[in-house]
Amino acid sequence: MMKIAVASGKGGTGKTFISTNLAYIAADQGSVHLFDLDVEEPNAHLFFPERVRDSRAVRRMIPIVNAEICDHKGICTQVCEYHAIISLATTTMVFPELCHSCYGCLELCPTRAISEGFKEIGKIHRSDTGGLHLITGELKVGESAAPSLISETKTSVPQEAQINIYDAPPGTSCPVIEAVKDMDYIILVTEPTPFGLHDLDLMVQTINQIDRPYGVVVNKSQAGNNLIESYCTEHGIEIIARFAQDINIARAYAQGKIVSAVFPEIRTRFETLLQRIRERMI
Amino acid sequence: MKEIVIMSGKGGTGKTSFTAALGVLAGKQAIVADCDVDAANLHLLYQPEILEDHNFLSGKLAVIDYDTCIDCGVCRDKCAFDAIDLTDGKYVINEISCEGCAVCSYLCPEHSIEMKDNHAGKWFISKSRFGTWMVHAHLDIGQDNSGKLVSKVKDEAKKLAKKNEIPFLLVDGPPGVGCPVISAFAGVDHVLIITEATQSGFHDLKRLTELIEFFKAQASCVINKYDLNEPISGTIEEFCNGHSIPVLEKIPFDETFYETLQNGKTIVESENKNLKSKIEHIWQFLKNVEG
Amino acid sequence: MKVAFTAYGNSWNEQIDIRFGRAKGFFIVDSETEETEYLDNRVNLEAQHGAGTSSAQMIANAGVSALVTGKVGPKAGSVLKTAGVKVYGGIGYASIKEAYDKFKKGLLIEQDY
């Protein structure tokens, strides 16, 4: 069994292009689980439009105020750093989307009027296409608890598949670290622009905090452009694959197609990429 | 002063590239504010000289006073975020995991934990290589964005524009349609939407339009990469016509667009006259919108 | 009755700030006496999260019955509703004076949350 994460410093670099195609060709070599951990905007499912087999809700603690005991003195409001519990003259309101489940109000309420309740923070969906199982974490709109949903999504199915691929959220904050921290290999997707380079550098700084093997995939590469190459040489990072800028690829992708299923030469490139990752892991 | 904000909904539509190019055309007539603080990229094209830098504080962080700490471990037991580790007999705050909830500080029997302001990043006033002023920000690794930094960058840019009697403020807006976007809407005269011919581009355009209509703001639209999916591009045009949002330009998927960026240049610095004249046309329109 | 306006500063001529939670301040008018007061909102402006709910509580505690602003989010809206504060939004850009005149003439539309 191996675990590969696909990550990028910013949106729009082609992270989902890499993860969906890699999963698609890997499914010919063994069972594959593709985890969509980009929980705020999961979109891997757009490329595998099969019916969802099952969905389940993920929950988290929120406070419940017992109106008969509460004296509306507002200690809870004073201690809540997130303004998630608001005490008015005759009532106290809880805002689940703002609550970080820190238990502060429960601990500090002088009348013990607050008890543990639960709220849904999102859903985990599963669907199948032949040897490929897609597991999607979907955060509710306006919900901030991405890291807990990501960790639930990662552990929501027994990891019996031979290859597990994880589409990580973009950026460099907590959700990304949660998604990639226990991987066998991390693919960092970037593009050869100053934007791509800047975000790659932030990503490298983030990954260096967790000490996992990683390499770079240059998407939309162009002959004669060595922006990413120079950076990687300087920092001793391997470029594990390149995908050229091509309007036909962009068009097929924009129409929701798996590019490897349409263009055999792209398929070969992904097979080589997977083979290289296997070699790097031994 | 006229304030124009450039928005896109989803990332990757070319919003920053257009903002940068418009800023070059405006020259000393405009201040550019980079409110896309999650992916603050404008400075990469402007390579500005930083004139002022300021710390940006946001949220709290727990700090243990080891002179009074009795190693009781209450803090670790009560921390809901597993942000306190026991290392070599000492309780240590993990700064990445700490969410600043202050529960440990309230419950520490010795009052040994203080909540300090968290350093979340920096914001800058700079001058670009074209002489255009810009206000921008940088978040530290692991820090989240909120409407707060967007408000800060925009308010500072506004102050600067007023003080120096600069007629235009161009704002590179944050992505999405959430709280930071609403912060960016405050006080705008015109919204320029950069969308692309994809389903998700259209989806986000519709959500942005709802906000624009709610705020009774004026708006116009540019469809980038319109030839990637011409049926959707057509649907977007119809939608815009139906909502009194003029479509200023349709830009084809263009290699030079991309090449120029690769060289760290803005698209008005490219050799592509066609592309350049389209951007000039957009700027002419924006210059004359009513304040 | 007290009417609050989200404002850029403490004057009738200031513009309405269309932000609610991150408004610079609240300009409050007593519609019987036309006496005014001003609440600085720096605390909430500086908040990392939950600026809306916290500002709503501040308005409710100030004894305000009506609020004129740009857009109130759903969470702050429900605090205001529970506290019995009516919200008038979506007026675009106007000075407090203009907005207050419109309010008195009943030209502003109440927002439902």
Side-chain angles (χ1 to χ4, degrees), chain B residues 15-34:
Chain B
K15 173 173 63 62
T16 301
S17 307
F18 281 97
T19 309
L22 291 168
V24 174
L25 293 180
K28 289 179 180 159
Q29 297 277 294
I31 287 187
V32 182
D34 190 354

Side-chain angles (χ1 to χ4, degrees), chain A residues 82 100 107 192 194 222 225, chain B residues 78 99 101 255 258 261-262:
Chain A
Y82 312 107
H100 286 220
E107 292 280 352
Q222 281 185 325
N225 179 320
Chain B
K78 297 295 183 183
E99 301 230 354
C101 72
E255 297 288 335
Y258 201 69
L261 275 189
Q262 287 182 328

Side-chain angles (χ1 to χ4, degrees), chain A residues 64-72 90-92 111-114:
Chain A
I64 292 184
V65 180
N66 183 334
E68 284 171 26
I69 307 176
C70 176
D71 61 3
H72 310 294
T90 56
T91 181
T92 297
T111 59
R112 303 211 157 274
I114 304 178

Side-chain angles (χ1 to χ4, degrees), chain A residues 245-255, chain B residues 195-198 222-234 236-237 249-257 272 274-275 278:
Chain A
Q245 167 85 333
D246 183 319
I247 186 163
N248 293 317
I249 294 178
R251 221 172 242 156
Y253 187 76
Q255 289 160 7
Chain B
T195 188
E196 61 174 24
T198 60
V222 170
I223 306 174
N224 194 16
K225 299 177 249 182
Y226 83 93
D227 51 349
L228 276 189
N229 193 332
E230 294 197 30
I232 288 185
S233 177
I236 290 175
E237 272 191 88
E249 284 293 349
K250 294 194 295 179
I251 315 270
F253 183 94
D254 189 331
E255 297 288 335
T256 50
F257 191 100
N272 187 331
N274 190 19
L275 187 58
K278 281 174 190 276

Side-chain angles (χ1 to χ4, degrees), chain A residues 79 81-82 100-102 104 107-108 172-173 191-192 194-195 198-199 202 206 209 220 222 225 245 247 251, chain B residues 40-41 44-45 60 78 80-81 96 99-101 103 106 141-142 144 227-228 253 255 258-259 261-262 264:
Chain A
V79 301
E81 284 288 329
Y82 312 107
H100 286 220
S101 311
C102 75
E107 292 280 352
L108 294 158
T172 54
S173 57
E191 53 182 31
F195 297 173
H198 176 250
D199 295 324
L202 292 178
T206 310
Q209 298 180 355
K220 308 179 201 170
Q222 281 185 325
N225 179 320
Q245 167 85 333
I247 186 163
R251 221 172 242 156
Chain B
N41 278 335
L44 299 170
L45 297 179
K60 302 278 179 192
K78 297 295 183 183
F81 308 105
I96 291 182
E99 301 230 354
C101 72
V103 166
Y106 284 115
I141 297 275
D144 291 320
D227 51 349
L228 276 189
F253 183 94
E255 297 288 335
Y258 201 69
E259 271 165 29
L261 275 189
Q262 287 182 328

Side-chain angles (χ1 to χ4, degrees), chain C residues 39-55:
Chain C
L39 294 179
D40 189 284
N41 195 38
R42 189 167 300 141
V43 186
N44 294 318
L45 194 60
E46 291 287 317
Q48 188 177 21
H49 297 290
T53 51
S54 188
S55 297

Side-chain angles (χ1 to χ4, degrees), chain B residues 50-56 119 121-126 136:
Chain B
I50 292 173
L51 305 176
E52 283 180 34
D53 67 301
H54 303 266
N55 287 325
F56 174 68
H119 188 278
K122 280 185 168 265
W123 65 269
F124 312 94
I125 295 177
S126 305
H136 52 124

Side-chain angles (χ1 to χ4, degrees), chain B residues 207-279:
Chain B
R207 291 175 63 179
L208 265 182
T209 305
E210 281 172 31
L211 277 180
I212 287 164
E213 291 182 345
F214 185 88
F215 286 122
K216 300 185 169 41
Q218 271 188 46
S220 56
C221 178
V222 170
I223 306 174
N224 194 16
K225 299 177 249 182
Y226 83 93
D227 51 349
L228 276 189
N229 193 332
E230 294 197 30
I232 288 185
S233 177
T235 314
I236 290 175
E237 272 191 88
E238 261 172 53
F239 176 85
C240 287
N241 289 337
H243 288 80
S244 312
I245 298 173
V247 175
L248 303 180
E249 284 293 349
K250 294 194 295 179
I251 315 270
F253 183 94
D254 189 331
E255 297 288 335
T256 50
F257 191 100
Y258 201 69
E259 271 165 29
T260 320
L261 275 189
Q262 287 182 328
N263 297 325
K265 294 271 173 9
T266 64
I267 43 185
V268 282
E269 292 170 272
S270 84
E271 296 300 311
N272 187 331
K273 292 218 171 67
N274 190 19
L275 187 58
K276 215 167 145 178
S277 75
K278 281 174 190 276
I279 309 276

